[in-house]
Amino acid sequence: MTVEVSVLIVSYNTAELTVRCLQSVLAEPPGAETEIIVVDNASTDGSPDAIRDVFPSVRLIESATNLGFGRAVNLAASHASGDFLLLLNPDAVVLEGAITEILTFARRNPACGLYGGRTLRPDGSVDPSSCWGAPSLWSLVCFGVGLSTMFRGSRIFDPESLGRWQRDSVREVGVVTGCLLLVGRGLFERLGGFDPRFFMYGEDTDLSMRARAAGYCPTIVPTATIVHHVGASSSNWAAKHVLVLRGKTTLVRKHWTGRRQRLCLAMIVLGVALRALADLGSGLARGRPRARASDWRALWGRRRDWWPGYPPYSEPTGGVPSQSGVPPELASGTVHPSRHLTRP
């Protein structure tokens, strides 16, 4: 029977979560012929054995090195035979009917090109991370001068948040994120897949921007719902957001030129600097550092790590996977690369 959808999952030290994710996918009613491909990014927590032992029908590709998210998805896609590719976080649980709903919508609305869904937190509240507004000069100015923080959730001053919309209606969006993303395999190949220079964060924004430039309209399908089980905050907040900002500066350098590019980059730097100063002022007022989920001073101190963006990517030679551009945090395994982070 012809495979209609290939579910692609990238695993990295998430054995228990990945098992739970795979169980939810396999529990989906068989509304379409499905294959599941997991690329394990050199996990050290026994993930490959857990997947192999519990799910013999899942195609497991074990990478000798950490390829990052986009490159691992490209690898999985190269082995896929489905008409559609469904990218899914390993820390997600697919709710009943989600895959059928998003596939049905895609068949009926091929002009959209990219399709996302609705993401919930374990307590049932909405996690807005399934989609964002596309980055723009205005959105980066709002970040740079602090408007997106002062007026968080504002459609005007925090435009990438998409306002107070609860992701509960069909709607065209700027960016469908990689936590739940359906795309036709043919379109994914025509777009060239994910740009491999983005090791992590920014690759889904880049893909959405390129799809829109090609005339497609990325769209959210609210009846396709997943639950996300990993919190955004952690003791590695600054290390993770170094990667987020690398993605942002790489996007700016790729998609814009001239004065617009320089202004956008300046707004990113200004935005981090202002928030670092606010953190410092708050600490001085209290007389001691305060406990918080974010640490803009640490992020500012590491600006040399994120300002240049991701380095150019060169294809590996001799069949040996390349680690060009692998951030030290991920190469050393000190950062858990959750796909859901609060936007800086």
Side-chain angles (χ1 to χ4, degrees):
M1 186 178 295
T2 302
V3 174
E4 185 167 10
V5 58
S6 300
V7 179
L8 312 182
I9 299 172
V10 177
S11 170
Y12 178 69
N13 290 333
T14 54
E16 183 178 344
L17 292 168
T18 303
V19 166
R20 189 188 309 175
C21 175
L22 290 170
Q23 288 171 337
S24 71
V25 174
L26 290 170
E28 176 85 357
E33 188 67 18
T34 302
E35 67 176 358
I36 304 174
I37 301 174
V38 176
V39 173
D40 185 79
N41 267 338
S43 294
T44 57
D45 69 340
S47 289
D49 290 337
I51 296 167
R52 189 182 299 108
D53 292 345
V54 181
F55 306 102
S57 64
V58 170
R59 183 166 189 179
L60 176 64
I61 301 172
E62 296 182 62
S63 173
T65 59
N66 188 351
L67 300 174
F69 179 74
R71 300 173 205 169
V73 169
N74 288 348
L75 175 60
S78 70
H79 290 271
S81 57
D83 296 329
F84 288 92
L85 307 177
L86 179 65
L87 280 57
L88 189 63
N89 258 23
D91 52 10
V93 169
V94 178
L95 298 189
E96 183 177 353
I99 296 177
T100 300
E101 290 286 341
I102 199 169
L103 273 173
T104 299
F105 185 92
R107 294 190 206 103
R108 293 174 179 171
N109 301 274
C112 297
L114 304 184
Y115 311 84
R118 193 167 190 248
T119 303
L120 303 178
R121 300 184 180 98
D123 64 3
S125 62
V126 175
D127 181 344
S129 301
S130 64
C131 60
W132 301 113
S136 64
L137 175 58
W138 174 242
S139 74
L140 290 172
V141 168
C142 289
F143 172 74
V145 300
L147 292 173
S148 60
T149 295
M150 288 187 289
F151 301 99
R152 189 174 298 278
S154 164
R155 290 187 298 109
I156 298 174
F157 298 116
D158 186 16
E160 290 184 36
S161 73
L162 299 177
R164 303 294 182 182
W165 175 49
Q166 295 295 294
R167 279 59 173 167
D168 55 357
S169 58
V170 173
R171 179 168 168 177
E172 180 183 337
V173 296
V175 177
V176 173
T177 61
C179 67
L180 175 65
L181 188 157
L182 182 75
V183 58
R185 183 159 57 98
L187 175 58
F188 190 75
E189 291 172 351
R190 288 194 298 276
L191 292 173
F194 283 132
D195 184 337
R197 86 184 76 177
F198 293 89
F199 184 85
M200 183 159 298
Y201 304 119
E203 68 290 301
D204 42 14
T205 300
D206 172 64
L207 184 73
S208 295
M209 293 173 72
R210 288 188 282 124
R212 292 184 66 85
Y216 294 91
C217 306
T219 298
I220 289 299
V221 184
T223 50
T225 305
I226 63 173
V227 176
H228 178 238
H229 282 267
V230 175
S233 298
S234 81
S235 59
N236 289 313
W237 186 93
K240 288 183 178 181
H241 282 78
V242 165
L243 308 183
V244 174
L245 289 174
R246 277 183 181 171
K248 285 184 177 292
T249 56
T250 304
L251 278 168
V252 169
R253 288 185 167 91
K254 177 176 180 178
H255 288 274
W256 297 315
T257 58
R259 284 184 291 183
R260 184 179 185 183
Q261 181 192 95
R262 292 192 293 274
L263 180 56
C264 288
L265 290 172
M267 288 298 102
I268 293 174
V269 173
L270 177 61
V272 177
L274 287 178
R275 288 160 177 80
L277 285 172
D279 272 0
L280 177 61
S282 176
L284 291 175
R286 291 170 176 262
R288 63 183 185 279
R290 63 185 177 92
R292 55 183 173 270
S294 60
D295 189 347
W296 290 97
R297 283 180 290 172
L299 200 55
W300 174 253
R302 296 191 56 184
R303 60 192 177 277
R304 290 185 180 179
D305 292 335
W306 51 260
W307 164 253
Y310 284 114
Y313 175 73
S314 57
E315 289 293 333
T317 58
V320 178
S322 170
Q323 281 198 288
S324 172
V326 176
E329 301 88 347
L330 292 179
S332 64
T334 59
V335 170
H336 180 281
S338 169
R339 295 291 306 163
H340 284 242
L341 291 178
T342 302
R343 293 176 304 115

